[in-house]
Amino acid sequence: MAFRGERLAITSQEDSEVWIGDFDKDKLEFTSKGAHYHFPRSDYCEQIYCNVEGVEWIDDDRLMLASDRAKADQPYICTARDQSVHIMVLPHGHRKVGHAPAAAKAEL
């Protein structure tokens, strides 16, 4: 997880997504429902970012993500992006709570 001011980003390896919401550090409570953003998928809607474990904010619109090594029992498609650093651009409108476009965009 990573903070940028009051904004918090938390990755989910199992769901291949990032949750972004607001958190009050003084009160130790969430101050918004936040929004879930799926990492990009294959043309067949398969997870291709299977092992994202680390996240850090680059700026208000971009995240840097780190992927762990693919496990032996994971689909082969997971190995193309394992042990890597990724930069994701969040969808337009992501700062509006309650507006949650379906997917983030990978920046190459």
Side-chain angles (χ1 to χ4, degrees), residues 1-95:
M1 78 179 170
F3 282 100
R4 182 164 180 85
E6 298 290 314
R7 311 255 313 148
L8 176 62
I10 301 173
T11 60
S12 169
Q13 192 176 99
E14 184 173 335
D15 296 325
S16 189
E17 67 181 20
V18 62
W19 176 87
I20 296 177
D22 299 304
F23 188 81
D24 185 323
K25 294 178 191 176
D26 295 327
K27 294 180 181 179
L28 297 177
E29 65 184 22
F30 295 97
T31 57
S32 72
K33 292 182 180 180
H36 296 259
Y37 300 96
H38 292 118
F39 297 134
R41 308 257 175 164
S42 75
D43 291 340
Y44 302 102
C45 204
E46 299 169 300
Q47 289 183 0
I48 55 177
Y49 290 86
C50 307
N51 298 295
V52 173
E53 290 192 341
V55 61
E56 184 58 64
W57 290 92
I58 295 173
D59 57 30
D60 290 340
D61 300 311
R62 295 181 298 165
L63 297 171
M64 181 175 0
L65 306 161
S67 292
D68 196 8
R69 184 177 184 170
K71 293 151 191 75
D73 63 343
Q74 287 182 301
Y76 179 74
I77 198 167
C78 294
T79 62
R81 289 170 182 82
D82 72 348
Q83 302 181 84
S84 301
V85 174
H86 318 279
I87 295 175
M88 297 284 175
V89 178
L90 295 169
H92 177 72
H94 70 89
R95 294 182 206 172

